[in-house]
Amino acid sequence: MSASARPIYLDYNATTPLDQRVLDSMMPWLTGNFGNAASRTHLYGWEAAEAVATARQQVARILGATEKEIVFTSGATESNNLALKGAFEALGASRKHIITVATEHKAVLDTCQHLEAFGAEVTYLLPDSDGLICPEQVQDALRPDTLLVSVMYANNEIGVIQPIIEIGSLCRKAGVLFHTDATQAVGKVPIDVQHAAIDLLSLSAHKLYGPKGVGALYVRKGISLTAQLDGGRHERGLRSGTLNVPGIVGLGVACALAQKELAKESTRLTELRNTLENNLINSLLNTQINGHRTQRLPQTTNISFGGLDGEELLMSLHRLAVSNGSACTSASVEPSFVLKALGLPDDLAHASIRFSLGRFTTSEDIDLAIGHILEVVSRIRNGA
């Protein structure tokens, strides 16, 4: 299929294309500079270790952390597993209670369910109809045996940004660990782990124009975790395995680029998203935006098109690459559990589309998308 015939990509929350600048930074480490960063007796290993150290600094910088607090992983799913399982195995003998949110990514929810089989007691907070929880819900759920609170920084389906700073403060005062899956937030909104009192933070490179298969876990100094992979005691004993040097270099550069361009890109994407929303909401009856209208990511919108069959709508939007939920649950025929948690009925949840814009989205893309969506929705509603 020619480039001009390919659908307009509006599914950046599922994954982002690799930025050419990131690829360029990775290429030397895929060819001539192939050393193992754990090889400390020759030049090849020294070069690789230095590249990893630079990337660690770049990742730390975008989070307001120190490089010694960054643990490289294969991605946010592994980071979430290491954070939750690692904390439970290290400290769960005396504290077995975990608090999370019903709209978390499956990488957190499934991990919590796994821990329940090993004695954990998990409280799943329900958000309001706008997708937000309030700090008081966390406060009320805290118990003397609460080990950890895990709240997603920004939701992958509706883009809402939770009150992370307030929740972090509550947890710090209560002496409870605070973990956030910030996969969708890193590089899109400013993050400061110190100011927000975050103890553990998960991220993934492929959500910010880096390569797939690499991510990181921020572990605040002094936090004890039990490693989930044994063999070699890499990454300060928290994550064994030969380091993916090209991927780590790419993650570091992706973080540096995102941090440099964050403010300008946030303004640009907010304007494009608002143009998309306003045109659709003002032109189509029985159409609504799901989630909080202001406390959300700049590039994400989730819109319900009432009175339509969701599968027919999604398949008819052949000029667009969009989704009806998380990429990790897209094989399911069930309506989005996130939208259901907000109180949407099945028919409306089924007829909802997530549009997520990104670095390479243009105003022309948005204009073409608007025209295509209006034409398709009108045609389906008119029975044509």
Side-chain angles (χ1 to χ4, degrees), residues 29-352:
W29 306 98
L30 290 163
T31 52
N33 299 349
F34 54 83
N36 187 329
S39 298
R40 301 302 173 89
T41 59
H42 52 69
L43 179 63
Y44 292 87
W46 299 336
E47 290 175 334
E50 184 176 352
V52 168
T54 297
R56 205 183 299 275
Q57 293 171 349
Q58 291 168 318
V59 175
R61 196 172 296 126
I62 201 173
L63 301 177
T66 66
E67 58 266 29
K68 291 183 179 180
E69 296 173 308
I70 303 301
V71 176
F72 289 118
T73 67
S74 64
T77 293
E78 183 188 342
S79 295
N80 287 335
N81 275 262
L82 175 56
L84 273 64
K85 292 178 182 176
F88 185 77
E89 290 183 21
L91 304 168
S94 58
R95 294 189 174 194
K96 296 183 178 296
H97 181 231
I98 295 171
I99 300 171
T100 190
V101 184
T103 51
E104 292 290 306
H105 191 278
K106 288 293 186 179
V108 166
L109 295 177
D110 287 356
T111 301
C112 286
Q113 291 176 8
H114 170 89
L115 291 174
E116 285 180 299
F118 290 87
E121 298 179 14
V122 183
T123 297
Y124 299 91
L125 302 177
L126 281 176
D128 202 345
S129 59
D130 61 5
L132 294 174
I133 63 168
C134 63
E136 288 75 18
Q137 288 177 272
V138 177
Q139 180 70 67
D140 292 344
L142 288 172
R143 304 184 338 197
D145 65 338
T146 300
L147 165 68
L148 177 143
V149 173
S150 182
V151 176
M152 183 185 283
Y153 207 112
N155 188 270
N156 52 304
E157 290 195 31
I158 56 178
V160 297
I161 299 173
Q162 298 291 355
I164 294 297
I165 295 174
E166 292 85 350
I167 295 171
S169 177
L170 281 174
C171 291
R172 185 63 56 85
K173 290 177 182 178
V176 172
L177 293 177
F178 180 39
H179 166 256
T180 183
D181 178 353
T183 309
Q184 293 292 348
V186 175
K188 300 169 187 174
V189 294
I191 294 177
D192 186 329
V193 292
Q194 303 301 328
H195 181 60
I198 295 169
D199 298 305
L200 301 158
L201 179 148
S202 305
L203 64 93
S204 195
H206 79 102
K207 302 293 188 179
L208 62 155
Y209 312 95
K212 296 175 177 63
V214 63
L217 177 67
Y218 158 76
V219 183
R220 185 171 65 84
K221 182 180 179 181
I223 299 299
S224 297
L225 299 177
T226 298
Q228 300 302 299
L229 293 174
D230 298 313
R233 297 188 60 78
H234 303 77
E235 294 297 276
R236 306 196 317 279
L238 289 177
R239 202 274 183 178
S240 294
T242 301
L243 291 179
N244 172 9
V245 177
I248 289 169
V249 169
L251 169 58
V253 172
C255 286
L257 291 171
Q259 185 175 20
K260 178 181 178 181
E261 300 172 0
L262 189 151
K264 181 178 180 181
E265 190 68 354
S266 176
T267 299
R268 187 184 74 88
L269 290 176
T270 299
E271 292 175 354
L272 291 180
R273 181 201 65 196
N274 291 346
T275 296
L276 175 66
E277 286 182 344
N278 292 336
N279 276 272
L280 297 182
I281 298 299
N282 293 335
S283 301
L284 298 170
L285 297 175
N286 198 16
T287 304
Q288 70 177 48
I289 298 169
N290 300 312
H292 200 279
R293 292 296 296 271
T294 58
Q295 197 167 324
R296 56 175 170 160
L297 295 171
Q299 88 295 343
T300 303
T301 183
N302 189 298
I303 301 178
S304 294
F305 300 86
L308 298 181
D309 177 78
E311 289 300 314
E312 181 182 5
L313 174 60
L314 196 61
M315 295 304 295
S316 297
L317 293 172
H318 57 88
R319 296 181 187 173
L320 306 179
V322 294
S323 66
N324 56 357
S326 169
C328 297
T329 57
S330 60
S332 173
V333 296
E334 296 295 320
S336 162
F337 73 92
V338 172
L339 297 181
K340 289 284 291 178
L342 270 60
L344 266 69
D346 283 2
D347 58 340
L348 205 55
H350 266 302
S352 300

